[in-house]
Amino acid sequence: MTSLVEQLRHRLVVSCQAYPGEPMRDPDTMRRVALAAARGGAAGIRAQGLDDIAAIRNAVDLPLIGLWKDGADDVFITPTLGHAVAVARAGAHVVALDGTCRPRPDGLTLAETIAAVHERTGALVMADCSTLDEGVAAAHAGADLVGTTLAGYTAYTTRGEGPDLELVARLAAAVDVPVLAEGRIHTPAQAAQALRAGAWAVVVGTAITHPTTITGWFASAVADATAEE
């Protein structure tokens, strides 16, 4: 697993996800998206849902970060130990889960969850955090990697237009585990900035794998230009 993490060092992880109800919300489609990302130079894949994880693991020979979004509560990224174990058994090398300070639905602490995932599955754990304190606490709780995934997506953090590079830099300086920059990285320049800020690796999803949103960016720009005439 140390070798697996080393493969991601200063590289790109592509998040292959589609939302429920969308045309691309299909495991085989996500498998093909992951294959395309691998061909383009991705060093790792991040995927959501047990079927997607299994399909991608069987097709792509890259480190796979898996998660399971479930529920409408604040904690919905791999919210319980049961979810985490299922993600690992579906084929994820790394289980991504909510690493915030919020209570988990099954009543376990983050440390208890991480320890059980390690013991029961042997998978690594990535803690998706939103603040410096959460990232530090997650590292102390045993997380193998810490991500800035939830910065701006919790009730107590503010969402900017781009990635939270300040959080990336502060986390990288504060913890001894790899920090993955994730969230609102929309351009190659921003990805490079995240690495310069101290990120071990950069996770990009929407800007690569979500054509609905990308089309919306272009359509909005065209509409704005038309309105100026």
Side-chain angles (χ1 to χ4, degrees):
M1 286 299 187
T2 300
S3 171
L4 182 145
V5 174
E6 190 62 34
Q7 289 179 56
L8 301 179
R9 187 182 181 116
H10 298 165
R11 300 289 301 280
L12 172 68
V13 176
V14 174
S15 182
C16 302
Q17 301 183 44
Y19 302 112
E22 293 186 333
M24 294 179 64
R25 177 55 268 151
D26 171 73
D28 188 62
T29 300
M30 289 299 101
R31 177 186 67 84
R32 293 171 184 272
V33 170
L35 284 167
R39 183 172 295 187
I45 300 295
R46 179 167 159 127
Q48 190 284 133
L50 302 184
D51 291 341
D52 290 31
I53 293 166
I56 291 170
R57 176 62 187 271
N58 288 332
V60 181
D61 187 22
L62 292 174
L64 177 57
I65 302 171
L67 62 142
W68 181 356
K69 292 180 179 178
D70 191 29
D73 297 329
D74 287 340
V75 176
F76 66 92
I77 297 178
T78 321
T80 70
L81 175 58
H83 287 83
V85 169
V87 166
R89 290 178 177 167
H93 300 100
V94 180
V95 177
L97 46 74
D98 187 294
T100 69
C101 59
R102 299 172 295 188
R104 304 181 68 79
D106 57 7
L108 296 178
T109 66
L110 181 60
E112 289 170 337
T113 301
I114 293 172
V117 171
H118 286 159
E119 180 180 352
R120 296 188 190 182
T121 73
L124 301 181
V125 174
M126 174 178 172
D128 291 348
C129 300
S130 70
T131 68
L132 174 64
D133 289 345
E134 289 173 349
V136 170
H140 287 164
D144 303 285
L145 308 100
V146 174
T148 59
T149 318
L150 292 173
Y153 297 100
T154 55
Y156 44 87
T157 57
T158 302
R159 187 185 313 178
E161 288 294 323
D164 193 336
L165 297 178
E166 180 182 357
L167 177 59
V168 172
R170 294 177 69 195
L171 262 179
V175 301
D176 294 327
V177 301
V179 173
L180 272 61
E182 182 173 9
R184 301 182 301 282
I185 299 174
H186 293 161
T187 68
Q190 289 175 334
Q193 289 172 343
L195 284 182
R196 295 189 188 104
W200 181 271
V202 178
V203 182
V204 179
T206 298
I208 296 175
T209 63
H210 199 250
T212 300
T213 299
I214 300 167
T215 301
W217 293 341
F218 281 88
S220 178
V222 170
D224 290 344
T226 303
E228 294 170 1
E229 295 178 356

